[in-house]
Amino acid sequence: MRPIRLDMAGFTVFRDETTVDFTDADYFAFVGPTGSGKSTVLDAITFALYGTVPRWGGTRGIGNALAPSATEARVRLVFESAGDRYVATRVVRRDGRGNVKTAGAGLQLMPAGFDVSKLDTGMDLDDLGEVLAGTPAEMDQAVQDAVGLPFEQFTSCVVLPQGQFADFLHAKPATRQQILVNLLGLHVYEEVQTRATGRGQTAEGKLAVVDQSLAGLADATDEAVEAAEQHVGRMRELTAAVEQAVPGLRAKRAAEVDAAAARDALDAEVRLLASVRTPAGSVETAGVTAAARAKAAETADEVRAAEEKEEKVRGELAAAGDAGSLNLMLDRHAELERLVGQADWFAGELSVAEVEHKDAAAAAELAHSAHLGAAQLLEQARLDYTEAQRIDRAAALRAHLAAGDSCPVCEQTVTVVPAMPEGSAVRAAEATGKAARAAAEVAESAWQQRDAVARKLESNLERKRAQHEHHLSRLAEARAAVADSPGVEALRRRLAEIDKLQKQLDRAAADMRAARSANRQAQAAVIAAEERQRSAWREFDAVRDQVARFSPPPADRDDLAGAWTVLVEWAADRAAERATARSSAEQAVAAAHAATVAALAEIVALFTAAGVAVPASSGSDEAHLIRAAAVAAERAEAAWRRLADRREQARELTEQRMTLQREARVAKALAGHLRANNFERWLLEEALDMLVDGASRILRELTGGQYDLIHDKGEFFVIDHHDAGLRRGVRTLSGGETFQASLALALALSEQLAGMSTTAASLESIVLDEGFGTLDAATLDVVAATLENLAARGDRMVGVVTHVNALAERVPVRFEVHKDARSAHVTRVGF
């Protein structure tokens, strides 16, 4: 069912005429404040179809349809279902005494291509199409035929109202099974079974009439026709006396044939009954099946016991505490002990570094002083060298002067020329300068080395101080961390206890897995044993069907060995009876043959007595014999033609009988298979498996991989992967988790119904009216994406009723619902 247009007037909060146009709204949302009338729009859809709304509590709540102080409410819904377009209309009025009743209801099939915009012109109901229902009573079946769903299933699978979103999830197995029967159209197999039964009965009735007709044609056999034809040739040669003897001969011959046929039939029956034997191994089949079932029950008990033990140990382990926290506290104790042991070492290292730095600093200072002294000596040597140069230049000038010469420097007259110095003053100054320079370089190198050592030791001292301070900080932290600790020994005892419980849990888990494996093997053995037993019963039924025409005794379906014993003994008794009867039949054949021989002898005697030789000869009275034979031949020929006609009639009836037998067997077998409900039960199980698989996939996506959905004996459970794969009933889920599970089922049902259904019922739309406010942001995003993907496929209309802005903003078409003092209104927003 896919809504196209909804018109309301006077319906609950919609006092004024309101139209909701769903055209091209594949994905829409009703948004608005609480109490504005969002859910009322869905109530109007449901009311137009079924005349009631889930929250009204049945048809007695019809008074809720009227707006306050209104006297009339009208609701009209145009919708599509299975390719056809319909219009459903309901009118409710309040009479003068205040009683509210349905004043009008109808369902019409609209013509193909009808433009729904014409409804705005005020068309008469008679112009909307073929009338399928005109009263509320007719509407119930007509709507169910059109939509394919009764009211309960519609509000569980298409329009999911507030408070009932989880109905399908929490429904009883029988209720859920009936929902699936209606959705999948499995009632068609009941109709097939009824028709098959009728056809089988009709075929059996016709078969009885044919058998009655064949009984009257039992003598019209090929052998009898051939004998009659031969008799015609003989009668043309026989006399009137021979003509009188021929019927006797024919009767005796027929009696002989019947006797031989009866004897042969007894032989065939004896062989058939003698073939009934108990197959090897069939007696042990029931015992093997019972043993397999007992083993399966035993392993199931072992699984429950193992699961209970594993759960108990798991609880004890959880109560014992967190091993990680305890190990962390032990590590902190060890850290404290290590830090305390390192405290003296760090202090000693700091003291040594301080002494070394002090000595290095003093040595550097001495080297610096020596460096300064050497530098002063070097500077003095440089000054001395300059003076030596001056002296040597003066001496050089003196060598060319004599007393009375003018001095080239001061231009004064030289009175006395000083004596020449011995050696060069520059050379002496150069030697002294070289020695001073070497001493200065040595002093500078020594000072730089000692200064580098002092700086390095100073850096080392700072590092040692930082290490010492960091060590003291860590020591204080470690002491604070273990302040509340019960002590190393206590911690170790608790860890030992946890380790012991963990090993017990591992053993319990291993035992549980082993028990489950054994149970699965036992279940497989049960299935195999039951299949062997079913195969043995099929073999029994096949043998019994071969002798069914002899009316064998009924079989006890609970005792295969006993059934075989009874059947074999019965067959032996019937075979013995027929073996006894065969002696009498053989005597009858011999007697009939003797009678035939005697009749032939009489005819030969008649020919002889009449003076006529055996038919191959002729006599003096030949003309008389020919005339008599001609008369006999005409009569024999007429009899022969009649017998041939009856034989053809018998052949046609025999072919008709085979056809009727075939039809009766097929119809009876089909009706029998469908009467046992095994086929319908199998279809329902397969459909539920597919539905749960699809819902589980969606639920894993909605819960981030936490939950899988399964079913067992019609009940739903979840597998909690965040709790070691624990299986939980769906009623233990929280509100948000219940919404997620219900949404997964609803979406899976919407996705898979079209592929599983045998009827026109299909979930062409799904509207959700609760639950989004219970979801966190991440789950809401997953739900929104899931709904978007479902709508994007194009084969489903998806609608939501929500006040969650984060969800509404992602929906392409929004119907904004607001209410003023008089009436509620709906405005479509979006493309």
Side-chain angles (χ1 to χ4, degrees), residues 332-623:
R332 288 177 175 172
H333 273 285
E335 177 69 10
L336 176 60
E337 183 178 356
R338 184 180 63 80
L339 291 174
V340 170
Q342 291 177 344
D344 293 340
W345 182 84
F346 276 104
E349 286 289 309
L350 178 60
S351 177
V352 171
E354 288 176 345
V355 171
E356 289 178 346
H357 175 259
K358 183 177 180 181
D359 292 345
E365 184 64 29
L366 290 175
H368 186 254
S369 297
H371 169 63
L372 293 177
Q376 291 175 357
L377 291 175
L378 178 61
E379 183 62 28
Q380 184 61 45
R382 287 175 179 162
L383 294 174
D384 291 346
Y385 179 75
T386 302
E387 181 62 22
Q389 285 180 327
R390 185 187 64 77
I391 293 172
D392 280 355
R393 283 193 298 271
L397 291 173
R398 189 184 307 167
H400 302 285
L401 290 177
D405 293 337
S406 295
C407 180
V409 177
C410 65
E411 296 182 350
Q412 294 181 7
T413 301
V414 177
T415 59
V416 179
V417 179
M420 292 292 293
E422 296 181 1
S424 175
V426 172
R427 291 192 182 96
E430 285 180 350
T432 302
K434 289 182 179 179
R437 185 179 294 108
E441 291 177 353
V442 171
E444 183 180 11
S445 176
W447 170 66
Q448 290 178 346
Q449 291 178 356
R450 285 175 173 77
D451 184 65
V453 171
R455 291 181 184 277
K456 181 177 181 180
L457 290 175
E458 183 180 11
S459 175
N460 183 58
L461 175 61
E462 293 300 326
R463 183 170 56 81
K464 294 294 183 182
R465 283 176 180 167
Q467 290 178 347
H468 185 255
E469 291 174 357
H470 178 65
H471 178 75
L472 292 177
S473 175
R474 290 179 61 192
L475 185 60
E477 291 176 356
R479 285 175 175 159
V482 300
D484 297 330
S485 171
V488 174
E489 292 302 323
L491 291 172
R492 289 175 178 169
R493 286 194 298 272
R494 290 178 63 186
L495 280 172
E497 180 182 355
I498 290 176
D499 182 64
K500 178 180 178 182
L501 289 174
Q502 183 62 50
K503 292 179 179 178
Q504 291 178 1
L505 178 61
D506 293 341
R507 289 194 296 271
D511 293 342
M512 182 178 64
R513 289 192 296 272
R516 287 175 175 172
S517 176
N519 180 249
R520 288 193 294 271
Q521 294 176 359
Q523 292 292 344
V526 169
I527 294 174
E530 290 177 346
E531 178 58 29
R532 288 195 296 271
Q533 189 172 22
R534 287 191 292 271
S535 177
W537 273 113
R538 288 194 293 270
E539 184 178 4
F540 172 83
D541 291 339
V543 173
R544 191 177 185 276
D545 289 345
Q546 293 177 356
V547 297
R549 57 193 175 95
F550 304 131
S551 300
D556 184 359
R557 304 303 293 186
D558 295 327
D559 184 5
L560 178 61
W564 271 114
T565 300
V566 171
L567 183 64
V568 170
E569 292 176 353
W570 170 84
D573 292 343
R574 300 292 86 78
E577 292 174 358
R578 282 159 175 73
T580 302
R582 188 190 184 287
S583 299
S584 300
E586 186 67 32
Q587 294 175 0
V589 170
H593 181 69
T596 301
V597 172
L600 289 173
E602 290 178 0
I603 292 176
V604 171
L606 288 174
F607 275 97
T608 303
V612 179
V614 178
S617 62
S618 59
S620 59
D621 199 15
E622 181 177 348

Side-chain angles (χ1 to χ4, degrees), residues 92 367 571 632:
V92 177

